[in-house]
Amino acid sequence: MGRGFLLALEGVDGSGKTTQAQLLALSLLQQGRDVVLTQEPTTGPVGQKLRHYLQGPTRHLSPLEELDLFLTDRREHVEMVINPALAEGRMVITDRYYYSTVAYQGALGLDPGEILAANEAFAPQPDLVFLLLIPVAQALERLQRKRQVSELLPYLERVAAIYEALADQRIQRVDAATSSQALHATLLTRTLAALEGFEGGGRRS
């Protein structure tokens, strides 16, 4: 059995990652594909701690302490969910992956290249990444809740700049400032094309 296919959706908060990950997984499941839909931070103990922290009133941990939590959560995610599913030949769709850590912790002053290297030392590289692009102000307008400390405009502008600077052949940049249905159609078309190439000879061992 060959290795499965790993797809990640990335972008600033409010870009539509969660909705698009769910729509994509549903469409592929309806086509008979074996899909695992997952997310980061995870629902595990460390992931829950991260979610609670990011929803809090202050960002009191140092950037390195935050990075350590994200790396710990991702190691568990890789070990418990991603690697087993890929080993079974399944398709994994993750709502956020290590590029989020590169962008968000990089925007706090850590070196994006070092963050990327630390993650790729243990986390499997995705086969396809969709980076959903949208003006930060528009993304924040979509958030119908009180903003978290990680969702302030100046900070997210720095996050978006790091995302834009990522140079990775796996990343496909997609205009997300459109309707959910139109965006889904684009992502599904691109995903099916990537899967066709992957299954037709581009598969990595």
Side-chain angles (χ1 to χ4, degrees):
M1 179 183 297
R3 174 192 181 276
F5 189 93
L6 177 57
L7 186 156
L9 284 93
E10 292 283 4
V12 298
D13 296 288
S15 60
K17 297 176 308 304
T18 300
T19 297
Q20 293 304 320
Q22 293 169 348
L23 290 173
L24 195 55
L26 179 59
S27 290
L28 293 168
L29 284 167
Q30 290 172 341
Q31 293 186 11
R33 294 187 177 274
D34 190 358
V35 179
V36 175
L37 177 61
T38 188
Q39 64 182 349
E40 293 189 354
T42 70
T43 56
V46 180
Q48 294 283 26
K49 181 178 180 179
L50 272 168
R51 290 178 182 276
H52 179 75
Y53 166 71
L54 293 173
Q55 292 167 1
T58 61
R59 199 159 188 168
H60 56 83
L61 297 177
S62 71
L64 284 174
E65 288 172 328
E66 285 190 21
L67 176 61
D68 183 64
L69 286 174
F70 279 104
L71 289 175
T72 300
D73 185 46
R74 186 162 298 116
R75 286 191 184 93
E76 294 178 359
H77 193 205
V78 166
E79 180 181 353
M80 303 298 294
V81 178
I82 295 177
N83 276 344
L86 293 178
E88 294 171 356
R90 306 174 76 184
M91 180 175 187
V92 179
I93 297 176
T94 181
D95 172 8
R96 291 199 182 284
Y97 197 37
Y98 57 69
Y99 299 96
S100 286
T101 307
V102 171
Y104 278 79
Q105 274 53 62
L108 294 176
L110 300 181
D111 183 270
E114 292 181 1
I115 298 172
L116 183 64
N119 279 276
E120 292 188 336
F122 68 89
Q125 295 181 351
D127 299 286
L128 178 62
V129 181
F130 288 129
L131 176 55
L132 305 187
L133 301 177
I134 186 173
V136 171
Q138 183 177 345
L140 290 176
E141 288 176 2
R142 291 181 173 184
L143 299 175
Q144 302 298 314
R145 54 177 166 75
K146 183 179 179 181
R147 294 180 188 173
Q148 302 176 15
V149 293
S150 59
E151 295 169 349
L152 300 178
L153 182 60
Y155 174 61
L156 285 186
E157 292 283 8
R158 297 195 300 273
V159 171
I162 294 175
Y163 269 133
E164 282 284 358
L166 290 173
D168 190 321
Q169 63 180 2
R170 294 178 290 268
I171 297 176
Q172 294 191 19
R173 289 165 167 80
V174 185
D175 180 11
T178 183
S179 70
S180 180
Q181 294 84 354
L183 179 55
H184 170 59
T186 297
L187 297 183
L188 181 59
T189 298
R190 293 193 183 191
T191 299
L192 292 175
L195 285 169
E196 183 178 357
F198 183 79
E199 295 164 350
R203 179 187 298 273
R204 295 205 305 262
S205 60

